[in-house]
Amino acid sequence: MKALVWLIGMAITAMSILIILKPQVARDLGERMNPQMFYFGAWARIVIGIVFLLISDTRSWATLFNVLGIFLVVIGAFALQSGFEKTREFVLGIVHGNENLVRLVGAAGVLIGILLISAT
């Protein structure tokens, strides 16, 4: 289980660093989003949020892990509730907008990835 969490953390960190360095990657992913990618991403957010909530008691920054866990679960549930088309439209609006906002989202991904790596 620890190895899986570590691998997920590494993947999130690597992809987020790539998005910070080249926001065009986020645009390409947003344009290629299909229903399978959408559902995988939404459920992945929920699962990672639950992992944060489960490990928060064992970490020194328990409040940060709790807040991020709740945030990720809510974001994933909201995406599932909104549906594929509405969420895709929202994502495309963000990635075709301000590049600094895309980089900020990438920085949040780096934070989440590093926290997952530190959780192992």
Side-chain angles (χ1 to χ4, degrees):
M1 184 66 177
K2 285 185 178 186
L4 181 62
V5 171
W6 186 83
L7 285 173
I8 292 170
M10 288 298 291
I12 290 172
T13 304
M15 183 60 99
S16 298
I17 290 172
L18 183 62
I19 287 172
I20 291 171
L21 296 176
K22 191 171 181 183
Q24 181 62 34
V25 172
R27 285 188 197 100
D28 293 342
L29 286 173
E31 291 170 356
R32 292 182 186 159
M33 185 190 313
N34 59 33
Q36 291 80 16
M37 286 174 57
F38 164 73
Y39 287 113
F40 176 79
W43 280 107
R45 286 182 192 97
I46 292 172
V47 168
I48 291 170
I50 290 171
V51 167
F52 277 165
L53 291 172
L54 290 174
I55 65 171
S56 67
D57 293 339
T58 63
R59 302 290 170 221
S60 59
W61 293 5
T63 305
L64 177 65
F65 279 95
N66 279 327
V67 168
L68 283 175
I70 291 169
F71 183 69
L72 287 171
V73 169
V74 167
I75 295 262
F78 182 74
L80 289 173
Q81 182 67 29
S82 296
F84 169 69
E85 289 298 325
K86 192 171 183 180
T87 303
R88 185 172 191 269
E89 182 180 311
F90 176 73
V91 167
L92 288 176
I94 290 175
V95 297
H96 287 296
N98 189 352
E99 279 192 6
N100 289 330
L101 181 61
V102 174
R103 287 187 170 112
L104 183 66
V105 171
V110 169
L111 173 69
I112 290 170
I114 289 172
L115 287 173
L116 277 173
I117 292 168
S118 74
T120 58

